[in-house]
Amino acid sequence: MSTRVRAWSNAITLGISGLLGAALLAGCGAAGSHTPAASTAAASTAAGGQPVATAVAESAPGLLRTALAAPRAGGSVHINVDLSDKSAAHTYSDQYSDDATASGGRQVITVGETEHATILFLDKVGYVQANLQSLEGFFGVPRLRAEQYAGRWIALRPGQHLGQASYADVTAGITLQSVASTAFAFGGRPVLVKSSVIAGQPVDGLQAPAPAGGGLPATAKNVLYVSSGPVRRPVLLETTGAGSGYQYRMSFSDWHEALHLTAPANPVSALLVTPASTTT
């Protein structure tokens, strides 16, 4: 796996684990449509992530179970992720979005200002469309092949690789089930935090230490906000206490809106881009 893919994968373990790919939702050659709602605004975190007394009757583990039930119920959800670290030796700022369904989805990622890629996951096939910079830098495709296949749809099937990224790397974290299984990663028992408001919507929150292995300091915590009221759904997951230069925010919106995905016509086989003999 390329260094950049590994860095993204490690960081994204705080939310959706694995290799997250995809950029440029519409107009990239595959028919896909999603009706976006207003994007989720930043949470008002006056509590600073500190555990406080709260009027929420539900326990923190119970609230987490309720949050997990929403993606497991099926339908669809739109996810936006902003990940940046200006304190690292090599600063970066990445944006990612995902439209997840029970059996597939579409992912969007921009690495820095130059690397863009799109992944569609349909019928257990991953379809990747990426520019030259992303094929070479993100996926680790050799330069000459990256130049040849930049901008074209590439079909990736089980057991195949795209550059240094395996089928599992590319397709991990796309479906609703994988979101439910890996999106809310905590490194300890959660506790409730002060209720807040996000974009005018009352939310209840919980926090726990960020999972080990992500390269974050021991002070880092994941805070999850869930909508208040009878319908309980995740609204925002963010990391706090990881240093002034680090930001990780994952917002959830557009629950159960119609999502129409179509496989691209005449994709190139990943075996042409990365022959099996080059990955053994």
Side-chain angles (χ1 to χ4, degrees), residues 159-240:
Q160 298 177 352
H161 282 69
L162 179 58
Q164 298 179 43
S166 69
Y167 169 87
D169 293 329
V170 174
T171 61
I174 295 181
T175 65
L176 279 170
Q177 182 58 43
S178 61
V179 171
S181 299
T182 62
F184 313 124
F186 293 97
R189 183 177 178 84
V191 296
L192 294 172
V193 299
K194 184 178 179 180
S195 297
S196 186
V197 175
I198 300 176
Q201 178 180 15
V203 294
D204 300 313
L206 59 91
Q207 76 167 30
L216 297 178
T219 56
K221 294 179 174 59
N222 278 356
V223 184
L224 174 65
Y225 293 94
V226 181
S227 58
S228 302
V231 180
R232 305 283 256 168
R233 294 170 178 164
V235 175
L236 178 71
L237 174 70
E238 64 179 354
T239 300
T240 64

Side-chain angles (χ1 to χ4, degrees), residues 7-18 20 42-43 45 79-86 92 94-96 179 182-186 210-211 214 216 220-225 236-252:
W8 173 262
S9 179
N10 288 341
I12 216 69
T13 298
L14 300 175
I16 298 179
S17 67
L20 301 182
T45 54
I79 299 170
N80 282 316
V81 174
D82 289 304
L83 170 64
S84 62
D85 192 349
K86 296 178 173 59
Y92 58 87
D94 304 338
Q95 292 79 43
Y96 152 82
V179 171
T182 62
F184 313 124
F186 293 97
L216 297 178
K221 294 179 174 59
N222 278 356
V223 184
L224 174 65
Y225 293 94
L236 178 71
L237 174 70
E238 64 179 354
T239 300
T240 64
S244 59
Y246 183 88
Q247 175 178 286
Y248 178 88
R249 305 176 68 83
M250 173 187 287
S251 63
F252 302 81

